[in-house]
Amino acid sequence: MQGYIINLNRVKDEDLIVTILTQNSIKTVYRFYGARHSTIHLGYKIDFEAIPSLKSTLPQLRSIMHLGTPWNNQRERMLVWQPFIRLFYTHLKDIGTIDSFYFDLLELCSSIWQIQNPKRIAIEAYIKLLIYEGRLHDDFICFNCEEPILEDLTLIRGFLPAHKTCAWNQTFDLLHVKQLFEEQSTIALDDEQINVLWKILLEGF
C-alpha cells in the first residue's frame, strides 16, 4: 500500500502514531521505536504494510519503503511541502474512507514540486480542492455584507471573497482572482500576492 504521511505524533518511548493518506482512506497506524525501521518524516510518500498488533489497538506500521523524490532533500521546498500536506490532516482526519481525488491531487503536486514555485502549486491545488468540494465562492458576493464585489476585493480563510472594508485584508485585482478561480492558475499574480495567499491558505482548508 502507498500513501503520504500527513501527520506524526510522538507517544511514549519515542513511539509514533502515524497518519497516512492513501488512495481511498486515511490510515492511522502505530510505529514502535524499538523495531528496526526506515527514517520517516512528515510529507514522505511511503510504501508500507499495516499489520494488526497485540501491543496496540492500532495496526502496526511495517515494511516501510520511502518513495523519494529529488526535492525531498531540498530544504526550502520541504519547508513549503510539510505545512501544506499537514493541512490535509486537519481537513480529513475524522474521515475514514475518501475519494481518490485527494491522493491524486498530492501526486500531481509532487510531480511538479521540483520545477515550479511550490507556493503557486499549493494555491492552484487548493482551488482545485475547493471546486471539487463545491466550496469555491466564485460569485464574488461578500461573505459579510452579502453585496456584490466590484472593487477593493480581498480574500479570507477558505479564499472567501470580501470587500476590503468588511475584512481589512490586502486587496487583489478582481480580474486576477477571477482568472485564478476559473483557470486554477496563479500566472496573473505577483510573488508578493502569492505570499499573501499562502498565509491565508495556512489558516486552514
Side-chain angles (χ1 to χ4, degrees), residues 5-172:
I5 298 172
I6 58 174
N7 195 59
L8 293 171
N9 278 331
R10 295 198 179 278
V11 290
K12 62 178 183 178
D13 301 324
E14 300 296 322
D15 293 350
L16 292 173
I17 295 176
V18 185
T19 306
I20 305 169
L21 189 157
T22 71
Q23 190 163 28
N24 298 113
S25 65
I26 303 294
K27 299 283 187 186
T28 302
V29 293
Y30 200 96
R31 188 171 109 160
F32 293 101
Y33 177 73
R36 293 181 62 185
H37 47 249
S38 305
T39 301
I40 59 173
H41 293 290
L42 177 68
Y44 275 13
K45 182 182 180 183
I46 59 172
D47 190 279
F48 69 99
E49 293 181 351
I51 308 296
S53 173
L54 298 177
K55 298 181 180 180
S56 171
T57 56
L58 296 174
Q60 186 174 353
L61 180 61
R62 299 288 296 273
S63 304
I64 304 164
M65 179 182 296
H66 178 211
L67 304 175
T69 61
W71 54 264
N72 283 157
N73 295 321
Q74 297 179 15
R75 183 175 181 273
E76 294 303 317
R77 292 186 185 272
M78 283 298 289
L79 286 176
V80 178
W81 178 255
Q82 289 182 322
F84 173 61
I85 207 166
R86 190 182 287 112
L87 292 170
F88 285 81
Y89 170 72
T90 54
H91 187 57
L92 301 170
K93 64 181 179 180
D94 297 323
I95 302 173
T97 302
I98 60 172
D99 190 88
S100 63
F101 167 83
Y102 301 96
F103 180 85
D104 294 341
L105 186 63
L106 286 178
E107 290 278 80
L108 173 63
C109 291
S110 177
S111 69
I112 57 177
W113 207 259
Q114 171 77 15
I115 57 177
Q116 296 183 25
N117 182 321
K119 291 180 182 178
R120 290 181 181 270
I121 297 170
I123 291 164
E124 292 169 2
Y126 184 45
I127 298 298
K128 291 180 175 68
L129 184 149
L130 290 173
I131 292 172
Y132 174 77
E133 295 183 345
R135 295 193 292 123
L136 183 67
H137 290 261
D138 54 2
D139 52 4
F140 295 99
I141 301 298
C142 178
F143 85 97
N144 185 45
C145 69
E146 299 183 352
E147 293 293 329
I149 302 170
L150 303 177
E151 59 183 2
D152 292 333
L153 165 71
T154 190
L155 299 171
I156 64 166
R157 179 175 176 171
F159 286 4
L160 283 173
H163 295 108
K164 181 176 178 60
T165 53
C166 292
W168 298 104
N169 278 0
Q170 178 169 324
T171 56
F172 295 88

Side-chain angles (χ1 to χ4, degrees), residues 140 153 155 172-182:
F140 295 99
L153 165 71
L155 299 171
F172 295 88
D173 185 294
L174 179 60
L175 291 178
H176 292 172
V177 177
K178 281 185 175 180
Q179 182 176 4
L180 172 64
F181 284 9
E182 292 172 1

